Amino acid sequence: MATLTFPLNDGTRIPALAFGTGTALYQKDAQHAVEVAISSGFIHLDGAQVYGNEESLGAAIAASGKPRDSLYIVTKLGKLPQGQTVVESLKESLKKLNLDYVDLFLIHMPVHHEGKLKEVWKGVEETKTQGLAKSIGVSNFRVKDLEEILSVASIIPAVNQIEFHPYLLKWAEPIVEFGKKHGIVTSSYGGLTPIIRHQGGPLDPIVASIRERLEKSRGKPVTESQVYVKWILQKGVVAITTSSNEGRVKQYLETSEVPDLTPEEIASIDNAGKQIHKRFFNAWLEH
Ligand SMILES: NC(=O)C1=CN([C@@H]2O[C@H](COP(=O)(O)OP(=O)(O)OC[C@H]3O[C@@H](n4cnc5c(N)ncnc54)[C@H](O)[C@@H]3O)[C@@H](O)[C@H]2O)C=CC1
Ligand SMILES: O=CCc1c[nH]c2ccccc12
């Protein structure tokens, strides 16, 4: 089955389902997990400087034997050491990844660059101009952070990666809508939170019944995690998940075979999700 992709504002396309490397499951060594993900069919791999495992991501890419242009590799800029430029920082990452370019380069967190965000964005633009990154974007940006860089941007960010699940929808929806207005695709992490980090909430019976309906319609097993991934994708949001369990890796990819949720089902998840506000990453975003 063809990989679902979303168009970006720079003419490229981003694969809608991604495998993440920023988890305590792998810590400094994501090589095995990424090898399993690639051999299972993932092409979009989400890395970051702060994960401290770019070498192992690079080793898995090399071991896969896949042509470079068949994979979609992301890394994120961490705090910049005094005196280092953004271009120099990405070059260091590329060395660790053993790559000539990344497909997408993101500012990981605006709080890493207090008072210097505009300057840093200009540096990120330079990485694209030099061909070190095909696309550029941001992560954990609120509307006010996006507005700050848009005020100086020659290149509009292509992507904003944020925590996104129904229990954070009230917070995230205005960011997604702002992104749509400005041609910025939202990418999500933490999407399985209602299953793995906040069970027992109002979504549980609703998603259980949607899962059952989809399973009957598909004629093959459907899991609740696939329902959440479907919900994310049908909102036009990229879904980043991860697992060291091969069965779950394959299950994420099989989401493409699951029938669509109806507009009513999506609305029922939205409404139940909005009854609660839960954030599990980057607590500073609450302030
Ligand atoms: N930009 C940022 O600040 C952040 C980015 N990320 C990126 O997102 C990636 C995905 O991370 P998460 O959001 O934590 O992913 P997630 O919310 O999809 O959770 C993944 C975890 O859930 C487990 N899981 C999956 N299905 C399950 C099930 N049915 N029952 C029980 N457990 C199940 C997996 O084995 C894995 O441990 C990271 O690896 C990283 O690349 C993550 C956090 C912050
Ligand atoms: O990307 C966000 C979550 C994360 C995973 N590992 C680290 C290490 C340092 C900062 C954030 C994270």
PDB file of all heavy atoms in Angstrom, residues 3-4 6 8 42 66 279:
ATOM      1  N   THR A   3       2.532   4.818   0.733  1.00  0.00           N
ATOM      2  CA  THR A   3       2.695   5.553   1.990  1.00  0.00           C
ATOM      3  C   THR A   3       1.899   6.848   1.931  1.00  0.00           C
ATOM      4  O   THR A   3       2.012   7.609   0.967  1.00  0.00           O
ATOM      5  CB  THR A   3       4.191   5.920   2.161  1.00  0.00           C
ATOM      6  OG1 THR A   3       4.944   4.726   2.012  1.00  0.00           O
ATOM      7  CG2 THR A   3       4.460   6.550   3.506  1.00  0.00           C
ATOM      8  N   LEU A   4       1.128   7.110   2.987  1.00  0.00           N
ATOM      9  CA  LEU A   4       0.392   8.378   3.073  1.00  0.00           C
ATOM     10  C   LEU A   4       1.398   9.501   3.318  1.00  0.00           C
ATOM     11  O   LEU A   4       2.250   9.401   4.218  1.00  0.00           O
ATOM     12  CB  LEU A   4      -0.621   8.307   4.225  1.00  0.00           C
ATOM     13  CG  LEU A   4      -1.419   9.583   4.512  1.00  0.00           C
ATOM     14  CD1 LEU A   4      -2.353   9.933   3.347  1.00  0.00           C
ATOM     15  CD2 LEU A   4      -2.218   9.451   5.816  1.00  0.00           C
ATOM     16  N   PHE A   6       1.859  14.028   3.381  1.00  0.00           N
ATOM     17  CA  PHE A   6       1.191  15.334   3.368  1.00  0.00           C
ATOM     18  C   PHE A   6       2.105  16.323   2.645  1.00  0.00           C
ATOM     19  O   PHE A   6       3.337  16.293   2.838  1.00  0.00           O
ATOM     20  CB  PHE A   6       0.943  15.849   4.793  1.00  0.00           C
ATOM     21  CG  PHE A   6      -0.012  15.017   5.617  1.00  0.00           C
ATOM     22  CD1 PHE A   6       0.219  14.826   6.987  1.00  0.00           C
ATOM     23  CD2 PHE A   6      -1.145  14.442   5.063  1.00  0.00           C
ATOM     24  CE1 PHE A   6      -0.654  14.076   7.770  1.00  0.00           C
ATOM     25  CE2 PHE A   6      -2.029  13.687   5.838  1.00  0.00           C
ATOM     26  CZ  PHE A   6      -1.777  13.501   7.191  1.00  0.00           C
ATOM     27  N   LEU A   8       4.098  19.727   1.945  1.00  0.00           N
ATOM     28  CA  LEU A   8       4.654  20.825   2.740  1.00  0.00           C
ATOM     29  C   LEU A   8       4.714  22.099   1.885  1.00  0.00           C
ATOM     30  O   LEU A   8       4.648  22.029   0.659  1.00  0.00           O
ATOM     31  CB  LEU A   8       6.056  20.457   3.259  1.00  0.00           C
ATOM     32  CG  LEU A   8       6.126  19.261   4.210  1.00  0.00           C
ATOM     33  CD1 LEU A   8       7.562  19.030   4.685  1.00  0.00           C
ATOM     34  CD2 LEU A   8       5.194  19.446   5.414  1.00  0.00           C
ATOM     35  N   PHE A  42       8.804   1.495   7.979  1.00  0.00           N
ATOM     36  CA  PHE A  42       8.860   2.934   8.285  1.00  0.00           C
ATOM     37  C   PHE A  42       9.917   3.593   7.410  1.00  0.00           C
ATOM     38  O   PHE A  42      11.013   3.047   7.217  1.00  0.00           O
ATOM     39  CB  PHE A  42       9.252   3.160   9.756  1.00  0.00           C
ATOM     40  CG  PHE A  42       8.062   3.251  10.688  1.00  0.00           C
ATOM     41  CD1 PHE A  42       7.695   2.171  11.477  1.00  0.00           C
ATOM     42  CD2 PHE A  42       7.317   4.416  10.776  1.00  0.00           C
ATOM     43  CE1 PHE A  42       6.607   2.247  12.338  1.00  0.00           C
ATOM     44  CE2 PHE A  42       6.227   4.503  11.635  1.00  0.00           C
ATOM     45  CZ  PHE A  42       5.867   3.418  12.419  1.00  0.00           C
ATOM     46  N   LYS A  66      19.033   0.887   2.457  1.00  0.00           N
ATOM     47  CA  LYS A  66      18.015   1.603   1.655  1.00  0.00           C
ATOM     48  C   LYS A  66      18.662   2.805   0.967  1.00  0.00           C
ATOM     49  O   LYS A  66      19.501   3.491   1.575  1.00  0.00           O
ATOM     50  CB  LYS A  66      16.898   2.140   2.558  1.00  0.00           C
ATOM     51  CG  LYS A  66      16.143   1.055   3.302  1.00  0.00           C
ATOM     52  CD  LYS A  66      14.998   0.537   2.479  1.00  0.00           C
ATOM     53  CE  LYS A  66      14.217  -0.486   3.278  1.00  0.00           C
ATOM     54  NZ  LYS A  66      13.385  -1.336   2.451  1.00  0.00           N
ATOM     55  N   ARG A 279      -0.948  17.090  29.995  1.00  0.00           N
ATOM     56  CA  ARG A 279       0.274  17.203  29.211  1.00  0.00           C
ATOM     57  C   ARG A 279       1.322  16.306  29.864  1.00  0.00           C
ATOM     58  O   ARG A 279       1.447  16.299  31.085  1.00  0.00           O
ATOM     59  CB  ARG A 279       0.765  18.652  29.221  1.00  0.00           C
ATOM     60  CG  ARG A 279       2.051  18.864  28.423  1.00  0.00           C
ATOM     61  CD  ARG A 279       2.635  20.243  28.672  1.00  0.00           C
ATOM     62  NE  ARG A 279       1.683  21.302  28.411  1.00  0.00           N
ATOM     63  CZ  ARG A 279       1.337  21.717  27.200  1.00  0.00           C
ATOM     64  NH1 ARG A 279       1.882  21.167  26.139  1.00  0.00           N
ATOM     65  NH2 ARG A 279       0.455  22.669  27.032  1.00  0.00           N
TER      66      ARG A 279
END
